[in-house]
Amino acid sequence: MAQGQATKVKKKKKSVLKRAAQARQRADVNRANRTRVRTLIKRLRTAISSGDASAAGNLLQPTMSSIDVAITKGVLHENTGNRYKSRLALAFNGVKATKA
């Protein structure tokens, strides 16, 4: 289903309408979690690419935490989230090593 489109309901049964409403609510929550993770990852990557180790250090923990939350909520697959965390940690350690 494309972003922003409403869930189509063919039948007007009470249970069908309830399921459609639940699907919309879940989609909104999942979209918010996915957006939060992507935004934090972009901010961290920007700080790492600019070589700002202190800013990257401040963003690292919240980013890792939001990835973990997304994994727990089922927004990200566990292997995908762990891959993101691993690559971000490697990049951060590289910036930290060049600063020292």
Side-chain angles (χ1 to χ4, degrees), residues 6-100:
T7 305
K8 294 186 179 181
V9 181
K10 290 186 177 182
K11 296 189 176 184
K12 299 298 180 193
K13 279 186 162 182
K14 192 174 181 181
S15 61
V16 174
L17 294 172
K18 182 178 177 181
R19 278 289 174 198
Q22 288 174 335
R24 276 187 237 111
Q25 290 168 352
R26 269 196 312 275
D28 290 342
V29 170
N30 289 342
R31 187 176 302 116
N33 286 326
R34 196 177 319 114
T35 302
R36 184 179 309 111
V37 168
R38 287 177 178 168
T39 302
L40 285 169
I41 288 174
K42 285 178 193 174
R43 285 183 191 162
L44 181 58
R45 285 182 179 154
T46 304
I48 287 171
S49 64
S50 68
D52 191 359
S54 62
N58 291 338
L59 288 170
L60 185 66
Q61 198 278 329
T63 304
M64 297 294 181
S65 177
S66 69
I67 292 172
D68 285 334
V69 168
I71 291 170
T72 304
K73 299 288 185 185
V75 175
L76 288 178
H77 190 273
E78 187 173 3
N79 291 352
T80 304
N82 290 337
R83 184 176 65 243
Y84 287 162
K85 292 192 318 184
S86 174
R87 289 178 182 172
L88 290 170
L90 282 171
F92 172 71
N93 289 338
V95 169
K96 195 167 67 170
T98 57
K99 182 185 176 192

